[in-house]
Amino acid sequence: MDKLFDLDPTEAVKQASTLLGCSPTSKNVADYFDKHDKLRHFRGNFLVPKIADLPPSDLSLVDGSEECIYLSGNSLGLQPKNARKYIEEELDNWAKIAIHGHTVGPRPWAWAENNIELLMANVVGAKEEEVALMNGLTVNLHLLMLSFYKPTQARHKILLEDKAFPSDHYAIESQIRLRGFEPQQSMLRLSPRQGEDTLRTEDILDIIEKEGDSIAVVMFAGVQFYTGQLFDMDAITKAGHGKGCFVGFDCAHAVGNVELKLHDWGVDFACWCSYKYLNSGAGGLGGAFIHEKHKDTIKPALLGWWGHELKTRFQMTNVMELQPGVSGFRLSNQPILLVCPLQASLEVFNMTSMQMLRRKSVLLTGYLEYLIKHYYSEDPAQPHKPYVRIITPSDPQQRGCQLSLSFSIPIRRVYQELERRGVTCDMREPSVLRVAPTPLYNSFGDVHRFIETLGKALAASSSSSSSSS
């Protein structure tokens, strides 16, 4: 029944197994969830690689004609089927009408990205005029920080999570140096408590309260890339504002993954890439957000002609008529061939809602968590059996779709055995797998297949280790 999707995931698994008269670990449970998944048809909008086409696959172990078990949407989303069609349309326009493609056709090049910014705004919980599609994530972060980070001797610190994504860390470090300050004094990095893997919300709010008078900008991820922790962006924003700080977020691992309400939360600024959960292809077009409350007060430090009002942009007067808000931060025309795949994906997102996707995601990831705990919890009676510790928070409200699995054994050989069997996920040595069942195209059957394949990979790696020792 559809109501199972609203239950605690463990309870949903148990009720489904009782209804079916089977074990909670039976494939019948996955099939039942898939049958009642109202979003299952969206998978048909994406190209899922065949196992035979993946370079590491060993066709002596698996059927190469089957679709792979793709659980890497947190690194690179799958290709939307319409991406190729849209790209070919623009290549045809270039070939046939050349310069006229700037102003005619299905997506005129001179304002093509503007035509899909409402679709993007719907995904991040913003108004259309608060969103700009442009550049890459780190370029956008620099542009935003140039305007929002205005350090003084009294208020010069930037608060970020320790082990932030390297690009964020480097951008913040360089912004601090650019203003004549030293990262050692101005980067305030918050680490989890001793023995813990993730940050407690109360610790984040506490440091803002204690150090807030010296903090110029609070700059966090929406979802932490390594642990998969979803931060309480609403609470962090309110706490930062309460101490007079600007608050911004890198939403690379949050956009298209969790429900965002950037406008309602009052977030000052945010940026994101689009090639993970937004499925725009490697190096796809980035996004930026500036809350409308800043549209007349926060100005770009760097100007480009794409920040000029469109109506008079091509009059070439060299007298800037700056667009308000984030639109004024545009520098150059965007590559039309990057607009195309993003449009193809955003159209799929806008066939449903982030609320519906999130509803499925909570059960999908919860189902993965249930099976991992069932098969791979630490067992004192079997001290030599590999076990898994999930470092992602167990509370669905504190995570997106990703689970980060920390194994009791070195993971490289296990990862290689998974790849040989058609599994695509992400390894972080020495012992962590990041697994991200994405609700837009992953199924409950994918999760069950992964668990089965993980068992085979662990057995094969153990056998290989024994024979080589």
Side-chain angles (χ1 to χ4, degrees):
M1 292 172 61
D2 185 57
K3 291 181 180 178
L4 287 178
F5 281 71
D6 295 316
L7 297 176
D8 171 81
T10 297
E11 183 61 29
V13 172
K14 290 179 178 177
Q15 285 198 22
S17 67
T18 300
L19 185 68
L20 298 168
C22 65
S23 164
T25 62
S26 168
K27 184 178 181 295
N28 292 340
V29 173
D31 293 341
Y32 182 81
F33 286 150
D34 281 330
K35 180 181 177 181
H36 291 87
D37 172 18
K38 292 183 178 179
L39 306 182
R40 64 186 181 278
H41 60 286
F42 285 117
R43 182 182 178 102
N45 292 289
F46 295 88
L47 297 169
V48 184
K50 300 292 187 184
I51 291 177
D53 292 328
L54 298 179
S57 296
D58 184 342
L59 300 185
S60 71
L61 299 173
V62 283
D63 180 356
S65 66
E66 289 187 356
E67 291 179 338
C68 77
I69 306 169
Y70 194 84
L71 299 169
S72 288
N74 57 332
S75 290
L76 181 72
L78 292 178
Q79 183 184 133
K81 286 184 177 177
N82 276 342
R84 182 183 297 272
K85 173 189 172 186
Y86 292 170
I87 289 171
E88 288 179 349
E89 285 175 356
E90 298 313 322
L91 290 174
D92 285 345
N93 277 342
W94 185 16
K96 294 175 181 176
I97 63 174
I99 197 169
H100 298 286
H102 280 105
T103 54
V104 301
R107 55 193 71 78
W109 306 336
W111 55 82
E113 72 276 13
N114 302 142
N115 291 348
I116 61 172
E117 282 168 347
L118 177 58
L119 302 181
M120 184 74 260
N122 291 339
V123 174
V124 298
K127 296 185 177 182
E128 182 178 7
E129 59 269 24
E130 294 175 320
V131 169
L133 292 171
M134 57 186 187
N135 312 313
L137 187 157
T138 308
V139 173
N140 287 335
L141 180 55
H142 274 300
L143 293 174
L144 293 166
M145 292 291 288
L146 283 170
S147 293
F148 281 94
Y149 180 52
K150 299 294 186 183
T152 65
Q153 289 300 323
R155 188 187 286 270
H156 57 88
K157 294 178 182 177
I158 299 176
L159 175 65
L160 67 158
E161 76 266 27
D162 193 33
K163 305 296 183 185
F165 193 79
S167 193
D168 289 357
H169 184 104
Y170 301 148
I172 290 169
E173 193 175 61
S174 61
Q175 287 287 333
I176 289 169
R177 287 202 175 99
L178 186 64
R179 312 308 168 81
F181 290 84
E182 286 298 322
Q184 291 85 348
Q185 284 76 48
S186 297
M187 286 181 79
L188 186 57
R189 294 156 55 185
L190 183 59
S191 299
R193 296 185 186 186
Q194 186 71 32
E196 297 183 1
D197 298 296
T198 56
L199 290 167
R200 298 190 187 188
T201 300
E202 60 262 35
D203 290 348
I204 301 172
L205 304 186
D206 185 57
I207 196 168
I208 292 173
E209 178 61 32
K210 289 178 178 176
E211 301 279 351
D213 291 338
S214 66
I215 296 172
V217 175
V218 176
M219 178 64 215
F220 262 70
V223 171
Q224 219 282 337
F225 81 100
Y226 182 76
T227 66
Q229 179 181 10
L230 168 60
F231 293 114
D232 189 337
M233 289 181 266
D234 187 17
I236 292 170
T237 301
K238 285 182 171 63
H241 289 168
K243 299 297 288 189
C245 315
F246 284 127
V247 181
F249 292 96
D250 172 354
C251 292
H253 286 265
V255 64
N257 176 15
V258 298
E259 190 177 358
L260 298 174
K261 299 180 180 180
L262 297 182
H263 175 84
D264 290 349
W265 293 335
V267 172
D268 293 302
F269 67 93
C271 52
W272 56 89
C273 59
S274 64
Y275 52 82
K276 297 179 173 67
Y277 298 106
L278 291 185
N279 316 299
S280 71
L285 201 58
F289 163 90
I290 295 178
H291 199 281
E292 67 174 358
K293 63 189 174 185
H294 299 302
K295 67 183 178 68
D296 297 319
T297 54
I298 297 291
K299 304 294 184 183
L302 302 177
L303 298 178
W305 75 314
W306 234 245
H308 190 110
E309 285 284 0
L310 177 61
K311 291 179 181 179
T312 56
R313 181 182 299 160
F314 294 95
Q315 293 178 9
M316 310 292 190
T317 62
N318 284 359
V319 178
M320 173 60 82
E321 296 178 34
L322 189 68
Q323 297 181 79
V326 72
S327 289
F329 284 66
R330 303 175 198 269
L331 296 177
S332 303
N333 54 326
Q334 301 309 315
I336 184 61
L337 299 183
L338 296 186
V339 173
C340 293
L342 181 54
Q343 176 185 344
S345 179
L346 289 177
E347 286 174 346
V348 180
F349 272 97
N350 279 265
M351 294 174 189
T352 181
S353 66
M354 284 308 303
Q355 293 94 327
M356 288 296 293
L357 287 167
R358 180 68 172 144
R359 180 172 179 256
K360 174 183 173 179
S361 181
V362 168
L363 181 56
L364 188 64
T365 296
Y367 180 53
L368 171 63
E369 180 184 39
Y370 179 89
L371 293 176
I372 288 288
K373 287 183 174 179
H374 177 86
Y375 286 110
Y376 299 111
S377 292
E378 185 174 8
D379 183 359
Q382 301 182 67
H384 300 295
K385 176 191 171 186
Y387 63 88
V388 173
R389 184 173 58 87
I390 301 173
I391 64 177
T392 308
S394 59
D395 177 8
Q397 301 309 310
Q398 295 186 56
R399 69 185 184 202
C401 68
Q402 172 186 319
L403 290 185
S404 297
L405 312 177
S406 179
F407 286 72
S408 60
I409 57 174
I411 200 63
R412 174 168 287 278
R413 189 165 288 170
V414 179
Y415 177 71
Q416 290 170 342
E417 292 294 342
L418 284 169
E419 285 197 313
R420 292 176 70 198
R421 290 163 173 80
V423 173
T424 301
C425 58
D426 178 80
M427 176 185 65
R428 300 284 159 150
E429 291 196 280
S431 60
V432 170
L433 286 182
R434 297 189 307 163
V435 181
T438 305
L440 200 57
Y441 50 73
N442 278 127
S443 66
F444 293 87
D446 287 337
V447 170
H448 195 273
R449 284 176 65 201
F450 168 73
I451 294 296
E452 283 188 329
T453 309
L454 178 58
K456 295 173 183 176
L458 282 164
S461 63
S462 175
S463 173
S464 175
S465 297
S466 299
S467 62
S468 63
S469 59

